[in-house]
Amino acid sequence: MSTSPLDQVMSCAAAGLPALRQVLQPYDLAVVVVADHAPLPGSFWGDPEAGLIGARLFIRPHTPVQSALHEACHYICMDPQRRAQLHTDAGGGYDEENAVCYLQVLLAEQLPQVGRQRMWQDMDRWGYSFRLGSARRWFEEDADEVRHWLEQQHLIDTGERPTGRLRQSA
């Protein structure tokens, strides 16, 4: 029996739910764990993808940690007007989507069981596509504009450390 690349992505449970909550606590984003067979509220793509409603991130223990971080980063990167009305569809444009992908790698560094190497692998396994062929190559070689955007929004500092702040401007 062969396994799919999707079976190999790290789950939120394997990443550590307390650690995930701790990483997201500065953003006042509550992590809500949903029972295994219950619908995932706010999930745009459906099971097993994380969902967003207001300041709540809905996951199951088997939700991929990359999905949880991706949706959390949408919450962090969106402007206050969209955040105030957030329900399921995070929306956002090209710059914001790239910032979300970049920031999720930086937040993965704060999860002891994850880190950026694992996040890059899981993003590639899950099907993210970057013009350089991999999440790692994009992050290291093609994301200068993204870093600048995140710095301008005060979401990371010049040392690429997440600030724990939410985007404040449109």
Side-chain angles (χ1 to χ4, degrees):
M1 179 177 185
S2 67
T3 61
S4 128
L6 302 183
D7 294 333
Q8 298 171 21
V9 297
M10 183 178 282
S11 69
C12 287
L17 293 173
L20 181 62
R21 283 188 170 106
Q22 184 175 358
V23 165
L24 298 178
Q25 187 277 327
Y27 303 102
D28 293 325
L29 184 60
V31 177
V32 180
V33 179
V34 177
D36 277 338
H37 298 291
L40 268 166
S43 179
F44 184 78
W45 299 107
D47 183 46
E49 299 288 331
L52 279 173
I53 300 175
R56 293 173 296 163
L57 175 70
F58 294 91
I59 63 168
R60 289 195 186 114
H62 71 273
T63 294
V65 71
Q66 66 80 20
S67 174
L69 288 178
H70 189 87
E71 294 306 315
C73 289
H74 268 296
Y75 179 80
I76 295 164
C77 290
M78 69 178 50
D79 65 55
Q81 294 76 22
R82 282 193 6 254
R83 197 178 307 115
Q85 298 180 23
L86 177 59
H87 194 299
T88 307
D89 186 357
Y94 178 80
D95 290 341
E96 186 178 310
E97 183 66 29
N98 284 332
V100 164
C101 291
Y102 197 92
L103 186 57
Q104 81 184 68
V105 172
L106 296 179
L107 290 180
E109 285 281 279
Q110 297 179 11
L111 293 170
Q113 302 301 320
V114 186
R116 67 176 61 187
Q117 287 283 31
R118 181 59 192 244
M119 184 55 53
W120 290 327
Q121 290 172 355
D122 284 359
M123 289 169 78
D124 290 343
R125 286 178 179 134
W126 202 250
Y128 288 73
S129 62
F130 298 97
R131 64 180 169 216
L132 294 181
S134 73
R136 180 181 184 161
R137 285 200 58 211
W138 168 78
F139 186 93
E140 293 179 342
E141 301 173 28
D142 194 30
D144 290 339
E145 291 176 18
V146 176
R147 277 189 296 279
H148 182 69
W149 189 93
L150 287 163
E151 286 175 15
Q152 281 185 315
Q153 299 300 326
H154 307 289
L155 303 179
I156 64 172
D157 63 21
T158 56
E160 294 189 10
R161 291 177 297 269
T163 61
R165 296 174 61 183
L166 299 172
R167 179 178 171 194
Q168 295 302 312
S169 63

